[in-house]
Amino acid sequence: MSILKVARMGHPVLREAARPLVKSDFRDPLVQKLIDDMIDTMHEYHGVGLAAPQVHEGLRIFVAMLDDHPDEEKSEVAVVINPEITPITGARVEGWEGCLSIPDIRGMVPRHMEIAVASLDRKGHKVERRLKGFPARVAQHETDHLDGILFLDRMTPDAMKTLAYLDEYSKYHAKDDD
Ligand code: NI
């Protein structure tokens, strides 16, 4: 188990499209170790999701807390590989997001409220999920990382006005979430 270095905005790896995993990747001990290290790294920095490009690996893998009420102690971490997202409703909702690659910044980002996510698990087995609300938001944010997209890119000009440093977010805006 290792804590990996997280790439910050400006590093080119965050702007590259990651490659899908193929069958042989799932048997590669280095890929399995990467997944374990990504989980440890996400917990270490109290993230709710982490995508492989954020730890300098151009692979279509993310790990995330996708339970409705995530609890770092109890919740199982979802390992999501080669995700394909299909919106279930056209409705988008704005909600606060942050990113370990854009430290200490929060902003309101529009996302699909409800999505279906087709993916593979760490053994290469197919998994279908239906997500709404915050877990749907996390899955869209992390999948964007696999295409070189950061949450700032998804913000509307009006939403850009919500950008806040973490201290100011906590002071003035965190209560919006309740
Ligand atoms: Ni992120």
Side-chain angles (χ1 to χ4, degrees):
M1 303 215 292
S2 323
I3 307 301
L4 303 171
K5 189 170 185 219
V6 176
R8 302 206 310 173
M9 183 167 61
H11 194 298
V13 73
L14 294 174
R15 292 308 193 172
E16 287 158 13
R19 80 158 171 87
L21 272 71
V22 296
K23 255 187 186 158
S24 58
D25 288 320
F26 293 89
R27 293 191 299 269
D28 184 342
L30 290 177
V31 169
Q32 294 297 327
K33 181 178 188 317
L34 169 66
I35 291 168
D36 289 331
D37 291 347
M38 284 172 63
I39 293 170
D40 291 341
T41 303
M42 179 182 78
H43 287 315
E44 174 72 14
Y45 297 112
H46 306 289
V48 290
L50 183 72
Q54 292 183 275
V55 291
H56 310 85
E57 294 289 344
L59 294 170
R60 298 187 82 78
I61 304 172
F62 73 77
V63 297
M65 315 296 282
L66 297 180
D67 290 348
D68 271 331
H69 300 285
D71 173 336
E72 256 190 64
E73 303 296 312
K74 287 182 243 156
S75 300
E76 203 180 321
V77 178
V79 176
V80 181
I81 296 171
N82 298 350
E84 301 284 348
I85 289 182
T86 310
I88 291 174
T89 61
R92 285 172 200 258
V93 279
E94 283 195 348
W96 290 101
E97 293 188 22
C99 181
L100 293 178
S101 295
I102 311 172
D104 298 333
I105 296 273
R106 297 288 181 275
M108 293 278 271
V109 185
R111 299 284 187 187
H112 294 291
M113 194 151 61
E114 197 169 356
I115 57 173
V117 186
S119 69
L120 301 173
D121 66 15
R122 65 186 299 165
K123 292 177 180 160
H125 299 145
K126 282 185 184 166
V127 183
E128 298 267 354
R129 289 184 177 83
R130 203 179 162 123
L131 302 175
K132 62 180 175 183
F134 191 68
R137 174 171 298 282
V138 172
Q140 289 169 85
H141 175 121
E142 300 308 331
T143 300
D144 270 354
H145 274 302
L146 308 181
D147 293 314
I149 297 167
L150 300 176
F151 81 81
L152 296 178
D153 308 337
R154 295 292 192 191
M155 294 176 71
T156 61
D158 259 355
M160 292 298 280
K161 294 176 187 163
T162 65
L163 280 177
Y165 289 104
L166 189 53
D167 281 352
E168 283 71 12
Y169 164 80
S170 303
K171 199 168 169 187
Y172 300 110
H173 302 291
K175 56 184 182 298
D176 297 356
D177 282 347
D178 298 337

